[in-house]
């Protein structure tokens, strides 16, 4: 997005739909995506003039922040203790249109960094160098994470084909 936004509100208005889609691809569901986008935009909004002046590409900076925040959140929640009592469930949970898609299920089960690499590569169309810069890792890490993710997806989808009836 080459346009320069002087106002943070304009930036959010122009990029929010794309950021929500990107967040959905990263997190696996629209609710966590909205939380992720809100959290990152709150932090960015407080430092908007710095982000705009120093980064050169605020949208890329926001995407990188989203990927990093998602990985950090996953690391924190992974350590949480499970409780004995289950919470009350809603009578009619909203259906996720991708819930029963084998590829989506396999992608959702990837570790966060592998999922981020796959989303940035195949959803956003970024190169290995751009992904490495966005995630703050080396190109070798991007290649290895992509390789592991593709191998994992192949295995999961191959096993899923035999058990699916349609």
């Amino acid at each position: 997005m080459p346009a320069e936004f002087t106002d943070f509100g304009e930036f959010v208005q122009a990029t929010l739909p794309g950021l929500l889609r990107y967040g959905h691809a990263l997190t696996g569901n629209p609710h966590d995506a909205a939380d992720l986008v809100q959290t990152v935009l709150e932090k960015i909004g407080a430092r908007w003039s710095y982000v705009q002046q120093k980064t050169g590409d605020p949208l890329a900076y926001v995407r990188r922040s989203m990927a990093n925040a998602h990985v950090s959140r996953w690391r924190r929640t992974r350590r949480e203790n499970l409780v004995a009592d289950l919470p009350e469930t809603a009578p009619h949970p909203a259906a996720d249109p991708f819930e029963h898609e084998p590829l989506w299920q396999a992608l959702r089960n990837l570790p966060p960094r592998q999922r981020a690499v796959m989303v940035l590569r195949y959803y956003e169309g970024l190169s290995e160098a751009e992904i490495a810069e966005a995630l703050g890792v080396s190109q070798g890490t991007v290649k290895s994470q992509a390789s592991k993710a593709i191998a994992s997806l192949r295995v999961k989808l191959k096993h899923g084909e035999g058990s699916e009836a349609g």
Side-chain angles (χ1 to χ4, degrees):
M1 176 176 301
E4 290 291 323
F5 294 101
T6 56
D7 182 47
F8 181 66
E10 291 175 2
F11 173 80
V12 170
Q13 187 174 10
T15 61
L16 186 61
L19 292 175
L20 288 170
R21 286 189 305 272
Y22 175 61
H24 189 177
L26 279 176
T27 63
N29 73 65
H31 307 292
D32 288 342
D35 290 345
L36 178 65
V37 170
Q38 180 178 350
T39 300
V40 169
L41 288 178
E42 284 175 357
K43 291 178 183 178
I44 300 295
R47 301 175 35 229
W48 177 244
S49 60
Y50 169 81
V51 169
Q52 192 175 24
Q53 292 172 3
K54 301 294 182 183
T55 64
D57 187 357
L59 183 58
Y61 184 84
V62 169
R63 285 182 179 150
R64 179 178 179 179
S65 297
M66 286 174 63
N68 291 340
H70 173 63
V71 170
S72 295
R73 181 182 293 170
W74 177 80
R75 287 180 180 148
R76 277 192 313 272
T77 59
R78 171 174 78 159
R79 294 186 205 129
E80 290 179 356
N81 294 327
L82 298 177
V83 295
D85 295 328
L86 294 175
E88 291 291 326
T89 59
H92 297 77
D96 184 351
F98 299 111
E99 185 66 32
H100 301 293
E101 290 290 326
L103 178 60
W104 187 251
Q105 290 173 343
L107 183 65
R108 187 182 307 155
N109 290 327
L110 290 175
R113 185 174 284 175
Q114 289 179 18
R115 186 180 326 133
V117 167
M118 298 304 287
V119 167
L120 290 171
R121 178 68 185 111
Y122 297 104
Y123 184 77
E124 292 292 327
L126 300 182
S127 69
E128 289 172 350
E130 292 169 325
I131 295 168
E133 183 180 335
L135 296 178
V137 298
S138 70
Q139 286 188 34
T141 299
V142 171
K143 290 178 184 180
S144 70
Q145 293 295 305
S147 175
K148 290 175 185 176
I150 290 171
S152 178
L153 289 172
R154 281 184 181 139
V155 168
K156 289 175 183 178
L157 292 174
K158 184 176 182 179
H159 290 306
E161 288 176 353
S163 63
E164 294 293 324

